Amino acid sequence: MATRGSMITSDKHKIHWWGIGANGSASMFWAFTNLFKMPFSKGAGGRRNNYEKDSFKKGYKKIVNMRNPYEWITAVLFDHGYLDDFENHIKNNLMNLICISQVKKWEEDGFTPDYFIKCDDMYNSLLEIPELKKETEELGDELLFTINTPDYDELGKGRQRLVEGGWKQYWNQELVDVLLSNKYANKLFELTGYDKESWK
């Protein structure tokens, strides 16, 4: 079943991209459609946070935005107004978080993204994608200042209230153990290379 969304397919660059919320995907979507001039088709509601697996083209690289999973989960719970109930969500509602359930869906659909654009350094992430490297360099500062917000981790880009005391304040060893006992959360760290000790 195709999910509704605004997956970007660029025949010029031979890539598929889609975002998942709370990790710079809005900025990346804007840059891809306005600076790289990639076409997109709006799904119901114009959401950008899903892919249409039936539309994947053979040989095209699959790319998705990403951030440190600890920070990402904190940002998602912040966006949904659940920070006050943080511990309960980690212990009892983890699979309801899109950033975790998405990994399960990838497994069910039988694929893994080829590249991850890390929101703490989206520009340099693009330079590591061969299909996008040349144009990223050509766009240079115009692109850099659109997608790389200085001190992204510290400021949270629009989530200042979340990070006044830092996102790490929400985590402790007990909650980390719960998170890492979830196979999909664990796989997220392994796929993206973020440090499982980075919550400290």
Side-chain angles (χ1 to χ4, degrees), residues 13 15 26 39 43 68 72 78 81 93 99 119 132 144 159 169 195:
H13 301 90
I15 65 155
N68 181 311
W72 194 4
F78 170 80
N93 295 310
C99 51
C119 80
L132 299 175
L144 175 66
R159 297 182 174 84
Q169 66 186 299
D195 184 0

Side-chain angles (χ1 to χ4, degrees), residues 20-143:
I20 309 172
N23 60 20
S25 57
S27 300
M28 200 67 254
F29 181 81
W30 189 93
F32 276 156
T33 55
N34 289 279
L35 299 180
F36 285 85
K37 308 294 186 192
M38 294 183 187
F40 71 99
S41 55
K42 275 193 175 176
R47 295 163 64 92
R48 68 178 177 278
N49 295 339
N50 276 310
Y51 58 86
E52 299 100 33
K53 72 181 177 73
D54 297 332
S55 301
F56 286 147
K57 296 185 179 182
K58 188 175 181 180
Y60 281 36
K61 299 297 184 186
K62 302 175 190 72
I63 303 170
V64 66
N65 269 49
M66 182 62 52
R67 79 192 298 173
N68 181 311
Y70 296 120
E71 184 184 10
W72 194 4
I73 289 167
T74 311
V76 169
L77 290 174
F78 170 80
D79 283 353
H80 293 288
Y82 293 139
L83 275 187
D84 291 342
D85 200 24
F86 188 85
E87 185 172 328
N88 177 53
H89 274 271
I90 301 302
K91 290 181 175 178
N92 301 309
N93 295 310
L94 202 53
M95 289 309 296
N96 289 334
L97 302 182
I98 182 68
C99 51
I100 305 299
S101 62
Q102 184 76 85
V103 182
K104 181 174 187 281
K105 183 158 175 48
W106 293 344
E107 186 173 288
E108 289 169 351
D109 289 344
F111 74 86
T112 301
D114 296 290
Y115 296 103
F116 295 101
I117 298 173
K118 297 185 175 182
C119 80
D120 40 299
D121 191 358
M122 293 197 280
Y123 185 81
N124 280 306
S125 293
L126 290 175
L127 289 176
E128 293 175 10
I129 301 172
E131 291 79 1
L132 299 175
K133 184 177 191 293
K134 184 172 182 285
E135 195 163 347
T136 297
E137 290 173 339
E138 289 169 354
L139 288 166
D141 284 352
E142 183 183 11
L143 174 62

Side-chain angles (χ1 to χ4, degrees), residues 68 70 167-168 171 173 176-177 180 189 193-200:
N68 181 311
Y70 296 120
W167 56 266
K168 293 182 179 183
W171 292 94
Q173 188 67 61
V176 167
D177 290 344
L180 295 180
F189 280 96
Y194 282 103
D195 184 0
K196 292 177 185 178
E197 299 294 309
S198 57
W199 64 275
K200 293 179 177 176

